[in-house]
Amino acid sequence: MEHSPRLAVFVLAVAALFAGACAAPFDPGEEDAGDAASQAVRSDNALTSNALTSNALTSNALTSNALTSNALTAGALARNPLTAAALRDPAARSVLKYIAGCALPAGERILLEIDGVEVAFVGELGLAPRWGEKGGACDAECRSWVSGCVLARLNYLGEKVSISLRGDHEGLRANKAERRAYPRQEATYYGDIFAEEPLYYACLAPGASSIPRVCGPSLDGCVLDVVGPCGAACEKQRDDGSFPGCRAMVRGRSGELRPDEPPYPGSLSVFLEER
């Protein structure tokens, strides 16, 4: 295995607390989702907004392009001088942890030698598995899925919480037990964290007026552009409660808000445990 330049080791310590959301519970009904394994993400959902917006990996357009234009592998990350240099930044390594977890399937990992210590960036959901193959790259659809997933794992206080991620993707199936354990709709997340000017969007679940886990006590100053209710910004709600095909909202000539084009295929809805 080829190794990256020697980097400084960074350990992010977080507390295991919980912040709820103000939305009505989703009724999982009696539909059986089969024997698909639960995709609830029960740890490490503690990405801070500061790490996302100021890291050297995705907040720099040249480095972000170098990342998505090449395979998400140890060799590609180490060989490219832009990504290798960016990963000296602790915030960049924090973001890469979530990128790898979202893109790569469980059982796969990226091993990089950091200051003589081998550090693993572990796959989890497999939303863009081809990116991790030799010669792979992250196209527009890949960017959408990985972006929605990373944004869904933001936390205002940098705390670990337990969430259920759902969406129109094979890697996001939620079985009946998971739906019952995580009934509270929070929000749907989408955008493009790799764009030259990164796009961070969220829409509110039915009945919700805030996203305290991600935005804190108020939507004012939230790192995300909260566009309003998901019912207005997205396509028809799916049976699992998730909202697909969400869009940004723009103001028309007469002042009304309407969905922009095109929709984001990688729209991920988050559900929380009952309080």
Side-chain angles (χ1 to χ4, degrees), residues 88-173:
R88 291 190 174 96
D89 171 27
R93 297 197 294 275
S94 179
V95 171
L96 180 60
K97 178 178 73 171
Y98 291 98
I99 289 173
C102 291
L104 304 179
E108 292 191 12
R109 58 182 181 170
I110 301 167
L111 294 175
L112 294 173
E113 189 174 284
I114 301 176
D115 199 20
V117 178
E118 207 167 50
V119 179
F121 299 89
V122 181
E124 188 172 13
L125 293 175
L127 301 183
R130 292 184 180 179
W131 191 12
E133 298 175 358
K134 183 178 180 180
C138 191
D139 60 13
E141 184 172 355
C142 162
R143 287 164 57 153
S144 181
W145 281 111
V146 174
S147 295
C149 179
V150 170
L151 293 173
R153 302 175 80 167
L154 284 166
N155 188 284
Y156 180 73
L157 297 176
E159 299 172 346
K160 292 183 180 181
V161 300
S162 180
I163 65 176
S164 172
L165 291 170
R166 303 178 200 171
D168 190 13
H169 192 288
E170 183 74 16
L172 296 172
R173 288 182 177 176

Side-chain angles (χ1 to χ4, degrees), residues 6-270:
R6 296 168 68 87
L7 307 174
V9 176
F10 177 78
V11 178
L12 179 63
V14 293
L17 301 175
F18 178 80
C22 302
F26 170 72
D27 182 2
E30 294 302 320
E31 180 183 355
D32 191 349
D35 295 326
S38 172
Q39 294 293 342
V41 183
R42 294 185 171 86
S43 64
D44 291 336
N45 295 288
L47 179 63
T48 64
S49 59
N50 184 63
L52 177 65
T53 58
S54 64
N55 77 89
L57 191 61
T58 61
S59 62
N60 179 287
L62 289 175
T63 307
S64 184
N65 183 66
L67 175 65
T68 57
S69 298
N70 295 284
L72 189 61
T73 63
L77 289 168
R79 281 194 300 269
N80 190 291
L82 290 174
T83 54
L87 288 172
R88 291 190 174 96
D89 171 27
R93 297 197 294 275
S94 179
V95 171
L96 180 60
K97 178 178 73 171
Y98 291 98
I99 289 173
C102 291
L104 304 179
E108 292 191 12
R109 58 182 181 170
I110 301 167
L111 294 175
L112 294 173
E113 189 174 284
I114 301 176
D115 199 20
V117 178
E118 207 167 50
V119 179
F121 299 89
V122 181
E124 188 172 13
L125 293 175
L127 301 183
R130 292 184 180 179
W131 191 12
E133 298 175 358
K134 183 178 180 180
C138 191
D139 60 13
E141 184 172 355
C142 162
R143 287 164 57 153
S144 181
W145 281 111
V146 174
S147 295
C149 179
V150 170
L151 293 173
R153 302 175 80 167
L154 284 166
N155 188 284
Y156 180 73
L157 297 176
E159 299 172 346
K160 292 183 180 181
V161 300
S162 180
I163 65 176
S164 172
L165 291 170
R166 303 178 200 171
D168 190 13
H169 192 288
E170 183 74 16
L172 296 172
R173 288 182 177 176
N175 60 28
K176 187 159 56 176
E178 179 179 334
R179 296 186 193 187
R180 288 176 174 169
Y182 296 81
R184 297 193 64 82
Q185 301 176 78
E186 179 193 56
T188 298
Y189 302 89
Y190 52 102
D192 187 352
I193 67 171
F194 306 104
E196 183 173 353
E197 294 185 8
L199 302 169
Y200 310 144
Y201 295 116
C203 61
L204 297 167
S209 59
S210 63
I211 317 176
R213 179 182 67 89
V214 173
C215 297
S218 171
L219 295 180
D220 294 335
C222 183
V223 66
L224 305 176
D225 182 358
V226 182
V227 303
C230 292
C234 310
E235 296 171 2
K236 182 180 178 181
Q237 190 174 20
R238 289 163 40 84
D239 289 341
D240 65 356
S242 65
F243 282 92
C246 299
R247 298 170 169 86
M249 299 291 283
V250 296
R251 196 168 295 280
R253 292 182 178 180
S254 60
E256 81 285 0
L257 285 174
R258 56 179 176 80
D260 196 9
E261 297 289 344
Y264 287 86
S267 302
L268 271 74
S269 298
V270 167

